[in-house]
Amino acid sequence: MLGLGAAGVAAAPYLQSGYDSFLGAAAGKDPTGITGLLPGSGGFRYYSVASSVPRKTPQNYRLTVDGLVDRPASYTLAQLRAMPQTRLVRDVQCVTGWRVPDTAFEGVPLSHLLSLAGVRPTARAIRFTCFDGVYSESLTLQQAGRDDVLVALRMQDKDVSHTHGGPARLYVAPMYFYKSAKWLTGITVTDRVRPGYWEELGYDIDAWVGRSNGRDDTPTV
């Protein structure tokens, strides 16, 4: 019995990794959303609104910053990794109710990228687009300037996996997790807020945890 127990402990990480990979792949091809009800490692659920999501490698990934800026740019993953990094440990709260406590995210502050780009005086908001070809999100310029909004390159002290939205994703710590767009590929500075994917379907544009969408969850501040 002790031998079987030890074998189970040794095999558990590999079994969990395999389960997470399977669940992530299934979620990417599941139009019903049923896989989003199943917890992966750490209590996360896997959501995708596209029928499939292409994979990006460190070699072909690019993040563009454009719109109402003086210096548009396109960054490689290596260039993003070379920039100043911020690490945050906060609870992740989904608007559907599940919560994952004390989750570490690390990446480039969005404010740093906007500073490099030189935001023009007429700018009021940011639109985010993703390489799944479907998802989008938005923040006001004031929200985007917070120090707890990141272009995240690491999650739970590992590189952000494809399933979790890698190589780079948005992380908006004080808002419900739908604001933290996965598979981030575009940051466009605009003159007004343009509702994102879920907001077009009725979710709040300002998605503060505990103060929006009719929920009273404990804030993640």
Side-chain angles (χ1 to χ4, degrees):
M1 289 180 64
L2 289 173
L4 288 173
V9 170
Y14 301 99
L15 293 173
Q16 183 67 66
S17 178
Y19 171 72
D20 288 347
S21 297
F22 166 78
L23 190 58
K29 299 178 181 179
D30 174 21
T32 69
I34 291 174
T35 49
L37 302 176
L38 303 174
S41 61
F44 282 93
R45 273 65 167 174
Y46 298 103
Y47 297 103
S48 172
V49 298
S51 59
S52 64
V53 182
R55 290 180 178 268
K56 297 290 185 179
T57 68
Q59 290 70 41
N60 66 18
Y61 176 78
R62 297 293 184 276
L63 176 63
T64 61
V65 182
D66 57 16
L68 297 176
V69 297
D70 294 326
R71 297 176 292 277
S74 178
Y75 297 105
T76 66
L77 191 60
Q79 288 172 322
L80 292 172
R81 287 172 172 167
M83 292 180 183
Q85 306 288 303
T86 293
R87 185 176 186 270
L88 301 174
V89 180
R90 305 282 178 82
D91 290 359
V92 166
Q93 176 71 56
C94 181
V95 75
T96 59
W98 55 266
R99 190 179 186 105
V100 182
D102 300 327
T103 303
F105 282 88
E106 185 175 352
V108 182
L110 178 58
S111 59
H112 179 73
L113 291 172
L114 296 177
S115 178
L116 291 176
V119 175
R120 294 177 182 171
T122 54
R124 296 292 182 271
I126 314 293
R127 179 173 174 80
F128 305 94
T129 51
C130 308
F131 62 79
D132 67 351
V134 180
Y135 204 80
S136 63
E137 253 311 331
S138 66
L139 291 172
T140 67
L141 192 61
Q142 183 178 13
Q143 292 165 354
R146 292 175 58 107
D147 58 9
D148 53 5
V149 178
L150 307 178
V151 172
L153 309 178
R154 292 176 62 79
M155 176 180 172
Q156 297 175 313
D157 296 316
K158 296 180 288 187
D159 291 344
V160 178
S161 67
H162 174 77
T163 299
H164 281 301
R169 66 173 297 159
L170 188 64
Y171 178 53
V172 185
M175 293 189 177
Y176 285 106
F177 208 36
Y178 67 87
K179 300 295 289 191
S180 296
K182 298 194 290 186
W183 306 301
L184 184 65
T185 192
I187 297 171
T188 301
V189 181
T190 62
D191 61 355
R192 65 189 185 279
V193 171
R194 300 178 184 178
Y197 178 88
W198 285 114
E199 291 139 16
E200 292 281 7
L201 297 175
Y203 283 49
D204 286 358
I205 293 176
D206 293 327
W208 307 106
V209 174
R211 292 189 285 125
S212 65
N213 292 281
R215 297 189 63 90
D216 58 359
D217 307 285
T218 302
T220 57
V221 295

